[in-house]
Amino acid sequence: MNRRTTLPPGLLTILAFALFALASAQTTPPYVQYLPLIMNPLSAPTLKWQRLGCYSSWCETGWYSSPAVVNLDADPQLEIVASAYSIWALDGDTGNILWQTRSGHDTRENFESVSNVGRTWPGVVVANVDGTGQPEIVTAHSGGWVAVYDLNGRFKPGWPQRPTTAELRGLLAADLDGDGSSLEIIVTAAIGSKTNTWVYNANGALRGGWPQLTR
């Protein structure tokens, strides 16, 4: 009489791991064995907050701008800076508004008494633009406006700038000259067959040799 034995799933798993280890073992020194990595499945994400940075009954239309994270107040927690038209600094844990300003303006102006210069297409940039060790916030908008803010939402000296009246759709901060002292701000505009790329120094001055046409 044939007897059929069924192994429990746990034992089958152990045997499978053992066979894998034997198959992966080296037959010459140093006889290294590679064991499979066992990880627990990821749990579903938990929503912490949403729709903060909106108004009482509506939100500004979000375009293609990505938010950025930065430590605004030197505590262990990062904050979020986002822009659709206006620019919002939000507490990362609670979503509470830390400060807000209209595009093309800064927090020294009354939020309700000024208007946005336009929408925000490129992502918000956070970088140590002036080389002082403190990060700055850089945004670019339709209407051709680009601005560098301190962590309190105030314009840095020399900013904002308006190289064109067309919408700015590209934004980058980089050390183009490699001097290590400060970063340059590069913006591109939605203009076809015309000059469409500008490079500014950290102090807001247009860099020599620019603007240019990129092909």
Side-chain angles (χ1 to χ4, degrees), residues 61-178:
T61 301
W63 295 95
Y64 301 100
S65 177
S66 300
V69 293
V70 59
N71 195 331
L72 295 175
D73 49 15
D75 66 0
Q77 177 182 294
L78 294 174
E79 284 72 46
I80 298 170
V81 179
S83 180
Y85 285 80
S86 303
I87 303 163
W88 308 80
L90 306 171
D91 183 278
D93 187 48
T94 65
N96 291 337
I97 299 172
L98 302 178
W99 54 259
Q100 62 192 52
T101 186
R102 304 287 189 185
S103 60
H105 302 273
D106 71 3
T107 53
R108 287 171 290 197
E109 298 177 83
N110 186 296
F111 185 81
E112 301 299 336
S113 64
V114 295
S115 299
N116 292 304
V117 296
R119 66 181 180 179
T120 310
W121 187 289
V124 176
V125 170
V126 171
N128 181 18
V129 175
D130 58 11
T132 61
Q134 186 89 329
E136 282 80 38
I137 299 162
V138 191
T139 62
H141 311 275
S142 58
W145 292 93
V146 55
V148 178
Y149 294 90
D150 66 18
L151 297 182
N152 295 311
R154 296 183 175 185
F155 289 135
K156 297 290 289 187
W159 299 94
Q161 293 294 329
R162 193 185 192 189
T164 178
T165 58
E167 182 170 55
L168 296 179
R169 292 191 175 181
L171 174 63
L172 180 69
D175 186 4
L176 293 181
D177 54 15

